[in-house]
Amino acid sequence: MAVQKEESKILVFGGTGYIGSYMVKASIKLGHPTYVFSRPNSNKTEMLNQLQSMGAIVVKGAIDEHDKLVLLLREVDVVISALAYPQVLDQLKIIEAIKVAGNIKRFLPSDFGVEEDRVSVLPPFEAFLEKKRKIRRAVEAANIPYTFVSANCCGAYFVNFLLRPYEQTKEIITVYGSGETKAVLVYEEDIGVFTIKAATDLRACNRVVIYRPAANLISQLELISLWEKKTGRSFNKVHLPEEEMVTLSETLPDPQNIPISILHSVFVKGVTSNFELGENDVEASALYPDLKVTSVDELLDIFLCNPPKPAIATFG
Ligand SMILES: NC(=O)c1ccc[n+]([C@@H]2O[C@H](COP(=O)([O-])OP(=O)(O)OC[C@H]3O[C@@H](n4cnc5c(N)ncnc54)[C@H](OP(=O)(O)O)[C@@H]3O)[C@@H](O)[C@H]2O)c1
């Protein structure tokens, strides 16, 4: 009789959130017993119900309930944190609990954006990334087996932001800089699957995994032109020059200065695409060549037929 392989038990912090919910759904689909840690006063009731009905085990608690966290961690194998940016440093509490629990085979902190150890960006975004780097260094110092994920841009999130497909009458699109810099846009469902695969893959242990499939590299001007072809509409492209973006990053109050700094880094400096991947880099689509990845072209088709709701999420 064939012995059935037991799938790793996966716990997701922030699993009701924008990115986290894709990870929870992928984890369930891939057959993992999946736990979602959610605050008692969470307002994500609809998402919690949806995830629960799909099979997620919801555990209510606060991140500073150390003993409770340790007991929960002892029941699982893998921990993924998809906490939002304002809660990034709270992950130090997860790290403390993982150290005490002593059984966690893999921890993925809440990165899921640009490859923070290889980019240099405008000061407001730099301060944002510095907190995420602090978490990476704490994980390494604690000798916790990790996978650090650079998911690059969430595809649907950025399509919504850049093209505003919901605004049927809007004919103006803002182009950041020249619009010619290539950016990496990865559909959130693929981010979910890649992340769960990597979280349980020995080849991704103590490595940075970068999500950069070839069909997901596109410039803003190419994206607009593709959208024009698909919709039959024509847009008036208004460029926001680099100097104005830099000035805005220096003059807008915190935290409004962060999005413009991110847009500058991605669409002017090209931080998601401007460094070569070397032999030692782990790129997700190369790691899982059999997984079908949604190209940007296909992502726009999804927007044409069944547009994902505009997202409320923090850039990253
Ligand atoms: N690359 C990209 O394009 C991109 C885009 C968006 C986000 N990101 C990154 O992805 C990560 C997750 O961001 P996100 O936007 O998905 O997060 P989010 O939806 O804003 O929040 C995730 C979850 O955090 C939990 N949470 C815990 N304490 C909280 C508090 N005090 N206030 C509010 N929520 C709290 C909530 O779960 P409960 O209510 O269940 O407790 C919430 O659902 C971040 O690292 C972010 O930088 C990247």
Side-chain angles (χ1 to χ4, degrees):
M1 202 173 83
V3 180
Q4 217 171 357
K5 188 178 151 241
E6 207 174 294
E7 297 294 350
S8 302
K9 294 179 183 166
I10 299 185
L11 167 66
V12 185
F13 288 87
T16 58
Y18 181 66
I19 297 250
S21 59
Y22 288 96
M23 293 169 191
V24 173
K25 288 174 190 172
S27 175
I28 295 168
K29 265 196 205 146
L30 290 169
H32 296 281
T34 306
Y35 296 65
V36 176
F37 191 81
S38 175
R39 293 163 302 153
N41 61 348
S42 170
N43 57 3
K44 307 279 179 75
T45 317
E46 207 181 309
M47 180 55 78
L48 271 175
N49 290 341
Q50 191 191 343
L51 298 178
Q52 223 162 359
S53 72
M54 292 173 73
I57 301 152
V58 173
V59 180
K60 287 279 184 185
I63 206 155
D64 45 15
E65 289 181 274
H66 176 78
D67 296 344
K68 183 174 185 167
L69 229 54
V70 171
L71 287 178
L72 174 60
L73 289 170
R74 289 199 173 129
E75 285 182 37
V76 302
D77 306 298
V78 170
V79 178
I80 298 174
S81 167
L83 290 175
Y85 168 65
Q87 281 75 50
V88 161
L89 291 181
D90 282 351
Q91 294 177 109
L92 292 170
K93 294 172 189 159
I94 302 177
I95 293 170
E96 279 313 305
I98 290 178
K99 282 198 302 202
V100 175
N103 62 307
I104 293 303
K105 297 195 187 88
R106 196 77 60 85
F107 176 49
L108 281 69
S110 192
D111 288 333
F112 310 118
V114 305
E115 183 18 31
E116 61 220 40
D117 283 327
R118 284 162 82 163
V119 302
S120 171
V121 293
L122 290 177
F125 190 26
E126 195 60 40
F128 174 111
L129 293 183
E130 202 41 43
K131 288 189 187 165
K132 292 193 171 190
R133 292 181 192 124
K134 187 174 174 183
I135 295 299
R136 282 191 176 185
R137 302 296 84 84
V139 173
E140 288 162 344
N143 276 323
I144 296 168
Y146 65 82
T147 297
F148 297 149
V149 169
S150 167
N152 289 317
C153 301
C154 286
Y157 181 78
F158 272 85
V159 166
N160 259 320
F161 180 83
L162 297 170
L163 302 178
R164 317 244 169 212
Y166 273 80
E167 299 174 25
Q168 293 290 339
T169 53
K170 192 164 186 267
E171 301 305 328
I172 296 174
I173 288 186
T174 306
V175 176
Y176 298 95
S178 72
E180 284 163 7
T181 303
K182 299 268 187 195
V184 181
L185 269 58
V186 186
Y187 186 32
E188 286 77 345
E189 283 193 11
D190 296 334
I191 291 181
V193 175
F194 278 149
T195 302
I196 299 303
K197 288 269 188 196
T200 52
D201 186 337
L202 275 179
R203 295 171 300 170
C205 188
N206 293 343
R207 306 296 296 267
V208 177
V209 179
I210 296 172
Y211 302 177
R212 196 197 281 181
N216 295 71
L217 267 141
I218 195 160
S219 74
Q220 235 195 302
L221 291 181
E222 288 166 342
L223 184 73
I224 296 167
S225 154
L226 200 54
W227 188 235
E228 285 180 327
K229 276 193 205 121
K230 286 184 189 289
T231 56
R233 292 166 69 191
S234 169
F235 296 98
N236 178 9
K237 297 177 261 307
V238 178
H239 289 256
L240 186 61
E242 174 174 10
E243 311 76 67
E244 276 184 47
M245 296 178 79
V246 173
T247 305
L248 282 169
S249 81
E250 290 164 350
T251 51
L252 282 169
D254 187 42
Q256 281 113 283
N257 52 4
I258 296 176
I260 193 72
S261 309
I262 293 176
L263 292 166
H264 177 268
S265 75
V266 173
F267 295 107
V268 176
K269 293 296 176 199
V271 292
T272 61
S273 64
N274 69 0
F275 59 93
E276 292 292 322
L277 297 181
E279 261 178 30
N280 286 329
D281 285 309
V282 185
E283 195 281 316
S285 63
L287 205 54
Y288 308 111
D290 297 337
L291 274 184
K292 165 80 188 86
V293 182
T294 313
S295 64
V296 175
D297 191 273
E298 289 162 337
L299 177 58
L300 292 189
D301 288 339
I302 295 174
F303 271 87
L304 272 184
C305 305
N306 184 17
K309 281 193 193 139
I312 305 166
T314 44
F315 279 117

